[in-house]
Amino acid sequence: MNSSRCAACKHLRRRCPSDCIFSPYFPANNPRRFAYVHKIYGASNVGKILQDLPVSRRAEAADSLYYEAYCRIKDPVYGCVGLITILHQQIYDAQCQLARIKRRLLRLVVSHRVKSSSIDNENVGPSFLPDQNGVPIRPHIMISPLGLISFSVVFRLVHLVYSFYCLLIDWGEKWK
């Protein structure tokens, strides 16, 4: 017996030929990988699946078979569909929360615009000290197309929206 047998040939207790279909995808150092796939799909079915695919797609297929078998063993009822459903629900929840934050941001912008319109009409107070050219300065207020809003409020809301956006991007990258 050759000591460089792949995990599939070791599991099946056979000699590993030099052109073994399993050896590139089920290495000897990870025997559970093949054991999971064999338990769910069977060795001959996995061999047929791998042989029917072009060589460039076999590694991806072996990874997919392993992940699906692993999920099916861990969750016999739902398998990987259970995890996908959970992630879809989390994405939906994050999208709903993002929509609520956008609505809240819009309400804050509108309320600050209404409040700032009365301040603009008066143009008095300590926050409107003129600069060297005589133009009033508003140090704690930022001008936006929708009106005057507090920089700290905008910064916190933009940071929160950006955090959710990054979270959605991360989830998308995991499932590519």
Side-chain angles (χ1 to χ4, degrees):
M1 289 254 164
N2 189 0
S3 63
S4 64
R5 293 184 302 164
C6 66
C9 291
K10 281 184 180 180
H11 186 79
L12 299 171
R13 296 182 180 151
R14 67 180 189 190
R15 192 174 64 79
C16 191
S18 60
D19 62 340
C20 179
I21 190 77
F22 299 115
S23 64
Y25 315 110
F26 301 102
N29 62 354
N30 193 355
R32 283 196 167 190
R33 181 177 168 95
F34 181 76
Y36 289 152
V37 172
H38 176 64
K39 184 173 183 177
I40 299 298
Y41 299 106
S44 64
N45 289 332
V46 174
K48 289 175 190 175
I49 290 170
L50 292 176
Q51 284 177 344
D52 289 345
L53 290 172
V55 176
S56 61
R57 302 294 305 251
R58 289 180 183 174
E60 187 177 340
D63 290 341
S64 179
L65 289 170
Y66 165 68
Y67 184 71
E68 289 175 19
Y70 175 79
C71 289
R72 181 61 61 184
I73 288 170
K74 296 299 176 191
D75 184 0
V77 175
Y78 294 108
C80 62
V81 175
L83 182 60
I84 291 169
T85 303
I86 289 168
L87 291 175
H88 275 228
Q89 184 62 43
Q90 288 175 350
I91 290 170
Y92 175 76
D93 292 344
Q95 288 171 338
C96 290
Q97 192 168 6
L98 182 61
R100 284 192 303 270
I101 290 169
K102 284 180 179 180
R103 284 193 306 269
R104 184 170 180 218
L105 177 62
L106 182 62
R107 277 187 295 219
L108 286 171
V109 167
V110 169
S111 70
H112 280 290
R113 185 174 183 194
V114 169
K115 289 178 186 176
S116 67
S117 66
S118 64
I119 294 173
D120 283 341
N121 292 337
E122 296 170 5
N123 201 15
V124 293
S127 63
F128 295 94
L129 300 174
D131 66 359
Q132 52 196 326
N133 297 327
V135 178
I137 299 174
R138 299 179 183 125
H140 69 284
I141 295 180
M142 181 178 92
I143 298 175
S144 75
L146 299 174
L148 301 174
I149 52 179
S150 167
F151 178 79
S152 62
V153 171
V154 171
F155 179 78
R156 283 183 294 198
L157 290 172
V158 167
H159 183 267
L160 190 59
V161 169
Y162 179 73
S163 298
F164 282 114
Y165 174 76
C166 291
L167 186 62
L168 291 173
I169 294 298
D170 288 342
W171 282 339
E173 289 295 321
K174 288 180 184 176
W175 290 101
K176 273 190 177 178

